[in-house]
Amino acid sequence: MRIVIADDYKAMSRMAADEIEELVASDPSCVLGLATGSTPLGLYAELASDFEAGKTSFKDVTTFNLDEYCGLGADNPQGYRYFMNENLFDKVDVAGPSTHVPEGRSGDLDAECARYDKMIDEAGGIDLQLLGLGHNGHIGFNEPCDEFPKGTHVVDLTESTINANSRLFDSADEVPRQAITMGIGTIMAARRVLVVASGADKASIVKKAFLGPVTPEVPASILQFHPNALVIVDEEAAAELV
Ligand code: GLP
């Protein structure tokens, strides 16, 4: 695992965008694993503006998002499909049918999880998985637990995640209690992993996850064992690394 410290959020976003754009330039039909949350917004804005400027194209790229809230559909502004359309997919030339987000409104969530893993397999696996970092060390929606979950599965969200994510809802009561997420096995199977973390509030979990013991209590810590993981943090998030 390599950890790179960027001066600030803008520099972190630019470095992460470069990683993705270089991959897409060398392999235009690559498979990208994508993430939601506030952290990747700057990076998505960089990708969109580079597309506008004719510097990159996603026309043959396939994408798989990490997760989705149970019960929220594509038309729900708090849902992750909506987030991705708004912040990236509608701003670049990726083909709509090549973008995948778990179907949170499926009537059979277990079948949806199996379908999602099968689609990733059939696409040849993920070339690069982008990840943000939850305050409790979650990646995707893999919350701290007793063992690392393997495939895509339904998860009960922790109170801390519900509270952290309530800023994007009218109240914590409206945050769904469950989500579908790729498993740790799915994430670890990606050929490359790119983590972005920003801000002073992430400093302690960045240290715990990337310098502390590997444990399912801190799901992101498993990334220390990934053969090709790059972590890009800004100076505030790196404050406890030195
Ligand atoms: C959510 C998402 C994660 C994301 C995390 C951190 O819970 N499911 O994929 O990494 O939030 O979000 P932020 O980047 O807003 O801190």
Side-chain angles (χ1 to χ4, degrees):
M1 160 178 281
R2 270 193 313 138
I3 303 180
V4 174
I5 302 173
D7 286 348
D8 55 19
Y9 179 73
K10 172 100 184 135
M12 178 204 78
S13 302
R14 186 61 249 168
M15 282 167 112
D18 285 343
E19 291 291 319
I20 292 176
E21 290 178 15
E22 279 161 23
L23 171 63
V24 174
S26 68
D27 181 3
S29 55
C30 63
V31 179
L32 297 178
L34 298 177
T36 55
S38 312
T39 316
L41 283 173
L43 132 71
Y44 291 155
E46 296 285 333
L47 296 181
S49 89
D50 284 348
F51 167 71
E52 265 310 302
K55 293 184 191 160
T56 188
S57 165
F58 300 87
K59 128 179 121 52
D60 297 319
V61 166
T62 298
T63 70
F64 287 94
N65 261 78
L66 279 168
D67 46 15
E68 178 60 285
Y69 289 112
C70 293
L72 302 194
D75 52 348
N76 191 311
Q78 276 87 28
Y80 287 168
R81 160 58 75 178
Y82 191 99
F83 174 103
M84 291 307 301
N85 287 347
E86 282 272 299
N87 293 300
L88 185 66
F89 298 155
D90 290 349
K91 296 186 170 173
V92 299
D93 59 347
V94 66
S98 301
T99 66
H100 306 280
V101 180
E103 180 43 74
R105 273 200 306 209
S106 166
D108 184 342
L109 293 171
D110 288 338
E112 171 59 10
C113 293
R115 185 187 75 95
Y116 206 67
D117 280 337
K118 188 158 176 269
M119 280 195 303
I120 294 172
D121 274 355
E122 286 171 358
I126 292 170
D127 290 303
L128 182 149
Q129 177 64 55
L130 174 67
L131 296 170
L133 186 62
H135 291 101
N136 59 6
H138 74 233
I139 45 178
F141 268 132
N142 291 279
E143 297 280 31
C145 60
D146 296 338
E147 55 183 33
F148 292 109
K150 291 194 179 69
T152 300
H153 61 288
V154 176
V155 67
D156 294 329
L157 301 179
T158 63
E159 275 312 302
S160 80
T161 298
I162 290 167
N163 290 333
N165 291 2
S166 66
R167 70 188 194 278
L168 305 168
F169 290 77
D170 286 340
S171 73
D173 290 344
E174 287 185 23
V175 184
R177 268 39 192 172
Q178 287 190 311
I180 297 180
T181 181
M182 281 185 197
I184 295 292
T186 328
I187 293 168
M188 288 297 280
R191 287 179 272 282
R192 286 169 63 183
V193 168
L194 172 61
V195 185
V196 283
S198 156
D201 58 316
K202 295 284 172 75
S204 76
I205 193 61
V206 163
K207 179 182 184 190
K208 223 171 153 183
F210 304 128
L211 298 186
V214 174
T215 161
E217 300 276 311
V218 184
S221 65
I222 190 80
L223 300 172
Q224 295 180 39
F225 290 156
H226 193 283
N228 194 349
L230 172 62
V231 180
I232 307 178
V233 293
D234 65 10
E235 275 190 358
E236 286 184 355
E240 295 188 24
L241 291 180
V242 284

